[in-house]
Amino acid sequence: MPKVRLATDPSKKAVDRAGEFAASIFERWRTAPSTDPLEGVTEDVEMDFVESLLLIEWWRQQHAYPMLMVAAGLRYYTRPYVAVGGLKPVTQRLKKEVTILDKLIRLPTMGLTQMGDIGGVRVVLPDQDAVDDVLRRVRKNWRDEIERVRDYVASPKDSGYRAKHLIVVKKTRRIEVQLRTPLQDTWANQVEADSRWAPNFKAGAGHQAVHDYYVLVSKLFASREAGVEPDGEFMQDLVVRYREARPYLPGHHDHER
């Protein structure tokens, strides 16, 4: 492992190297959390780890101002919907360092500088028509800054996740924009909350029964947003899926370890 040192203006190669090294140490700790992952290493390796964490935090903070710029622009486009339902449509966050390291472990071929969601802006709008309206205007006016658009409403993720995503490049940094309806946001927040207390369902880990349940809840929400009430057979299936998933959900003490 080459030396990792925090320079005034580190290269992307140095940032990627720091991410790879810190992720390897973090994975060692995650595999055996009761042990010290740095036990027995040389002082140079320990210094490299400290410097790697500092470099990751430096790279993370490089996304703060571009993220705020994107959020400010989106507040302009969401003004017509601010008063609807008392919504505060636009929020932003920098991805936590531990979440960055976890993603680098899950996606080992991706360098830290390729990660497109270190800075994230979430837009929650009253309904799908409002989401589509804001997306249309943003794509028209930001077309030179939009790197990618993904429609997880037309083609939901296997997990059941639904939203519309953009990667916007601002000040050379990639910022992810998520546009959701309230029910899409409720679904995603529930999965996120459950993932804090149990296997990372959000990343595809955990028992299959839980994933099957989440997928059905996503379909339920999508139907209701479309003004269609699911039939009795669907609701009965939902109850069965919940009963099967319940032992593996947070708060149930009998789930498998």
Side-chain angles (χ1 to χ4, degrees), residues 77-231:
Y77 291 109
T78 60
R79 278 180 188 170
Y81 304 104
V82 170
V84 179
L87 290 172
K88 181 183 178 184
V90 182
T91 57
Q92 67 271 339
R93 64 97 185 102
L94 288 176
K95 188 181 283 291
K96 294 177 181 177
E97 191 173 75
V98 66
T99 312
I100 290 172
L101 293 175
D102 180 70
K103 187 167 185 176
L104 290 173
I105 292 169
R106 288 189 289 107
L107 303 172
T109 61
M110 181 185 65
L112 178 55
T113 59
Q114 296 174 295
M115 197 175 291
D117 61 348
I118 293 177
V121 180
R122 182 173 300 164
V123 182
V124 181
L125 293 158
D127 51 43
Q128 195 61 56
D129 286 343
V131 167
D132 293 341
D133 174 55
V134 170
L135 178 59
R136 176 186 57 78
R137 289 189 290 141
V138 167
R139 293 186 72 172
K140 177 181 178 181
N141 294 301
W142 291 8
R143 56 180 174 271
D144 293 336
E145 297 175 302
I146 294 175
E147 183 178 272
R148 188 179 72 215
V149 180
R150 287 192 173 161
D151 188 345
Y152 295 120
V153 175
S155 300
K157 289 187 178 184
D158 291 342
S159 64
Y161 177 83
R162 298 169 194 257
K164 298 203 175 182
H165 283 201
L166 305 170
I167 296 295
V168 178
V169 179
K170 187 75 72 172
K171 298 286 186 181
T172 75
R173 299 291 180 254
R174 293 184 180 95
I175 305 299
E176 182 185 64
V177 177
Q178 303 171 344
L179 298 110
R180 301 173 179 172
T181 65
L183 285 181
Q184 289 165 1
D185 191 53
T186 296
W187 183 96
N189 288 337
Q190 184 62 58
V191 174
E192 180 98 29
D194 287 350
S195 293
R196 294 193 189 106
W197 301 103
N200 193 348
F201 301 125
K202 181 181 175 184
H207 200 281
Q208 185 60 43
V210 175
H211 295 287
D212 293 342
Y213 169 64
Y214 283 141
V215 168
L216 219 56
V217 171
S218 175
K219 290 179 179 178
L220 170 67
F221 285 177
S223 293
R224 286 187 169 161
E225 285 189 328
V228 178
E229 189 62 27
D231 59 25

Side-chain angles (χ1 to χ4, degrees), residues 35-52:
T35 64
D36 181 357
L38 295 174
E39 185 177 358
V41 305
T42 65
E43 190 173 301
D44 281 348
V45 171
E46 195 166 358
M47 179 60 71
D48 279 345
F49 180 61
V50 172
E51 293 276 0
S52 292

